[in-house]
Amino acid sequence: MKFVSFHRDDGRVVPGFIDSRDPQAPQVIDVTRPGNDPWAAALPTDLAAWVELGLQSLAHRLAACSYPDAARVPLARARLAAPLPRPGKIVGAAFNYHDALRERDMAPPATPVIFVKSGRTVIGPDAPVRLAADVGNVTYEAELGVVIGRTALRIEPAQALSHIAGYLVLNDVSASDMVRADKAFVRGKNQPTFCPCGPWIATPDEIEDPAALGVRLQVDGRIRQSGNTADLVFGIAELIAYASTQMPLDPGDIIATGTPAGVAASHQPPAWLRPGSSMITEVDGLGALHTPILASEPS
């Protein structure tokens, strides 16, 4: 099942799921709408709480419930938010694609190189990345995101997949000048709006093989990145297990698995993000994430 958070007509952001039985006209189901099945209507009203309850088990129950027409919104008309508008944290992996390392003439790291990105950097589909004038050169980074479904602490790779709630598209926007100046990731990865996520969370049964997914990004219609998760240096299970040795991973946290070749600095001339442009980030089976780029609003 594909789970979403979306803006209801009254302005509230509420959780729901996509009914794709008619692939030509998928619908978002507003589970919070009065008149729904009483069990469904009694669920918490945020998707983070659903993750803690277990998305896979919820999917079976939700699919068996009935919903009135008033609870159905055509996906094409739904205003989607980030599935998890405020995740606890995003744990990113740097230098984790073989093609990107070859592009930079770097050897693969011996162990995963990870960093933490604040949940407050997250924005949803169609929300703009804002570029402050003093941030410097900014790049896109298309990635597969993995949503943690239950607490993981010092686990083994063999246990890791059982801790996954689902998958989503993620764009780890990064201020390259800050990363280079600081020789660290904190500032460059944690500017406001620097983590577009969405458009939904797909449960693991929706994805046949997460280790063989195409990952693409285009800016203004021009393909800038095109890779595949088969090219990861450290796979999903290894990343989760390693991160769990460094910090607790909690339900709703997101693992950003790294980005393939083609980041802005690798192009001639460099393809730094500029106000007025727009990005589309895609991962096979997980939809497309549309992101305009604007200058920061005056404070």
Side-chain angles (χ1 to χ4, degrees):
M1 183 173 279
K2 296 180 177 73
F3 290 89
V4 297
S5 293
F6 68 102
H7 298 265
R8 226 168 51 176
D9 290 343
D10 62 6
R12 290 182 60 200
V13 174
V14 296
F17 68 93
I18 298 175
D19 182 349
S20 301
R21 286 176 295 179
D22 180 355
Q24 301 305 312
Q27 297 176 314
V28 172
I29 306 300
D30 183 355
V31 176
T32 68
R33 181 71 63 178
N36 286 341
D37 180 286
W39 172 84
L43 287 170
T45 56
D46 68 277
L47 193 52
W50 289 18
V51 169
E52 293 205 51
L53 290 172
L55 294 186
Q56 195 69 69
S57 60
L58 280 178
H60 297 299
R61 297 272 321 255
L62 289 168
C65 294
S66 60
Y67 304 94
D69 289 345
R72 297 176 175 274
V73 181
L75 178 59
R77 289 200 293 106
R79 184 183 167 209
L80 300 182
L84 297 169
R86 284 289 179 268
K89 58 184 174 291
I90 299 97
V91 181
F95 316 126
N96 200 41
Y97 269 80
H98 288 289
D99 65 349
L101 290 167
R102 288 192 297 271
E103 185 174 65
R104 300 177 67 170
D105 195 24
M106 290 177 60
T111 57
V113 177
I114 63 173
F115 57 88
V116 175
K117 200 171 175 96
S118 167
R120 293 185 63 83
T121 62
V122 165
I123 58 173
D126 301 312
V129 163
R130 296 276 183 177
L131 300 181
D134 61 349
V135 167
N137 292 322
V138 175
T139 186
Y140 46 80
E141 295 187 15
E143 310 202 11
L144 169 66
V146 181
V147 179
I148 297 299
R150 60 191 183 93
T151 300
L153 180 62
R154 293 187 289 275
I155 64 170
E156 297 296 326
Q159 303 169 286
L161 298 186
S162 68
H163 291 258
I164 295 175
Y167 301 95
L168 49 66
V169 180
L170 185 146
N171 186 345
D172 176 24
V173 177
S174 305
S176 296
D177 287 358
M178 287 181 170
V179 172
R180 189 177 302 109
D182 298 347
K183 296 182 173 58
F185 295 112
V186 176
R187 274 201 310 157
K189 297 288 189 179
N190 282 282
Q191 297 300 302
T193 74
F194 272 25
C195 196
C197 288
W200 49 69
I201 298 171
T203 50
D205 61 305
E206 293 268 338
I207 305 300
E208 184 175 347
D209 185 0
L213 299 177
V215 178
R216 296 170 297 280
L217 184 139
Q218 55 181 285
V219 179
D220 295 336
R222 182 173 179 179
I223 294 292
R224 291 298 189 179
Q225 290 184 284
S226 182
N228 193 287
T229 57
D231 202 34
L232 289 172
V233 176
F234 300 99
I236 294 166
E238 293 173 282
L239 287 175
I240 293 172
Y242 180 80
S244 81
T245 68
Q246 308 299 302
M247 68 196 88
L249 301 177
D250 299 311
D253 286 349
I254 300 172
I255 305 293
T257 55
T259 199
V263 296
S266 68
H267 296 278
Q268 292 300 325
W272 304 117
L273 297 179
R274 295 287 182 258
S277 290
S278 64
M279 301 179 282
I280 299 176
T281 313
E282 298 177 273
V283 177
D284 288 349
L286 295 174
L289 183 61
H290 296 251
T291 308
I293 305 158
L294 302 176
S296 278
E297 296 175 317
S299 55

